[in-house]
Amino acid sequence: MSATAFYVTAELAVSDPARVDEARQALQQLCWHTQQESGCLRFELQQDVAQPTRFVLWECFVDEAAFLRHFELPHTRAYLALGLTVVVQHFQTRAIVPTPPLVAAAEVTRYQRGWDKLKQVDGEAGERVIAALQDIAPALAHYTIAFPFGEVYQDPVLTLKEREIATVAALAALGNATPQLKVHLHGALNVGCSRAEIIALLTQMAVYAGFPAAINGVLAAKEVFAERDAA
C-alpha cells in the first residue's frame, strides 16, 4: 500500500444504543460497497469489545479526490441517511514506511544472549567495562558482547570455569591487559574457581610467559581478592 495514499481514521458512536446491531450491519454493508470502489485501497471496520457502541473505520484511498467521491456515491448516502451513527472524531493520518532495523533481528538475539552470559560470568565488573565504552565506542561495546559472549561462550564443550581459566591464562600471558585480567579474575571466581586455583594458574605463567607476567598477574589477583573482601 502506497505511503502517499490518502489515509483517514474515523471513530463512530451509535446514536441509539438500542440499535447497535442495526448500526453494525449497516456499517458492514457500507464496508462491502466501499471496498468495491476503484479508488479505495482499504476500508476496515472494528468494533470496541468493551464498548460495543463504539466503532472505528480505518480508511485508505488512492488520493483525496477518491475519498471525497466516496461521500457522493449512493451506498454512502444511503448509509448516512439512516442516521445510525455520529462521528466522534475523523482525522487524516499517514502511513509510516517500515525501515530495516539498525541491527538485524538475529544480531539482537545474539547480543541479548551475550549480555545474559556476560552478567552470569563477569557480573558488575563486566558491565562496568561495557558502560565505559558506550559513550565513546558503542559499536565496540556491542561487538564485545555479541561475539565472545553471544557466540563463543555459548559452546557447551567447555564449562564456564574452564573458559575463565583459559581466559585468565591468556590475559596474564599478554602482560599488557591488566584491566581485562582483573575483570576475568572476578569472572573466574564467579564461576567456581578458588583463590588457590587462580594463584596456581598465575604461578604457572612464569614457566610459559615469564616471571614478570606471573608476578603482575598475582598482584592483579591480590587487588581483586581485596576488592571482594571489602565488598
Side-chain angles (χ1 to χ4, degrees):
M1 196 176 290
S2 171
T4 59
F6 191 82
Y7 294 82
V8 175
T9 299
E11 180 182 348
L12 310 175
V14 178
S15 52
D16 181 354
R19 304 177 71 188
V20 173
D21 291 342
E22 186 181 354
R24 184 181 63 252
Q25 291 170 9
L27 284 167
Q28 287 174 305
Q29 292 177 19
L30 175 65
C31 284
W32 188 90
H33 285 292
T34 305
Q35 288 171 2
Q36 314 310 309
E37 296 175 23
S38 60
C40 178
L41 299 176
R42 179 188 183 190
F43 205 83
E44 179 182 326
L45 174 68
Q46 295 185 6
Q47 183 179 22
D48 191 332
V49 173
Q51 189 179 347
T53 56
R54 176 178 178 267
F55 292 89
V56 177
L57 280 170
W58 304 100
E59 309 173 33
C60 181
F61 294 83
V62 292
D63 52 29
E64 186 175 8
F67 169 72
L68 295 175
R69 282 197 303 273
H70 161 69
F71 290 94
E72 300 302 320
L73 296 173
H75 53 263
T76 307
R77 287 181 173 273
Y79 162 74
L80 293 173
L82 294 173
L84 293 167
T85 59
V86 293
V87 177
V88 177
Q89 56 179 340
H90 198 193
F91 53 92
Q92 184 180 353
T93 58
R94 66 177 180 178
I96 305 298
V97 179
T99 56
L102 295 178
V103 179
E107 182 67 11
V108 172
T109 302
R110 188 171 74 149
Y111 179 87
Q112 187 57 57
R113 286 202 315 264
W115 186 251
D116 292 343
K117 188 65 70 176
L118 173 72
K119 290 192 291 185
Q120 181 183 354
V121 175
D122 292 335
E124 292 182 2
E127 292 178 26
R128 286 195 296 269
V129 172
I130 300 304
L133 292 172
Q134 286 290 1
D135 61 341
I136 189 170
L140 179 58
H142 179 91
Y143 302 148
T144 300
I145 294 172
F147 176 61
F149 293 98
E151 289 290 343
V152 178
Y153 268 70
Q154 301 295 324
D155 187 342
V157 173
L158 296 177
T159 66
L160 288 180
K161 180 177 178 180
E162 290 167 339
R163 289 190 182 281
E164 286 305 287
I165 288 173
T167 304
V168 167
L171 291 171
L174 283 174
N176 60 355
T178 299
Q180 292 77 23
L181 173 60
K182 291 168 73 173
V183 168
H184 283 278
L185 285 168
H186 278 291
L189 293 166
N190 291 341
V191 297
C193 284
S194 68
R195 297 188 180 191
E197 286 175 324
I198 286 174
I199 295 303
L201 165 63
L202 294 171
T203 300
Q204 185 166 323
M205 292 303 100
V207 180
Y208 295 98
F211 276 88
I215 293 170
N216 290 339
V218 168
L219 293 177
K222 182 178 181 180
E223 292 182 26
V224 167
F225 296 163
E227 288 175 17
R228 296 175 78 95
D229 289 339

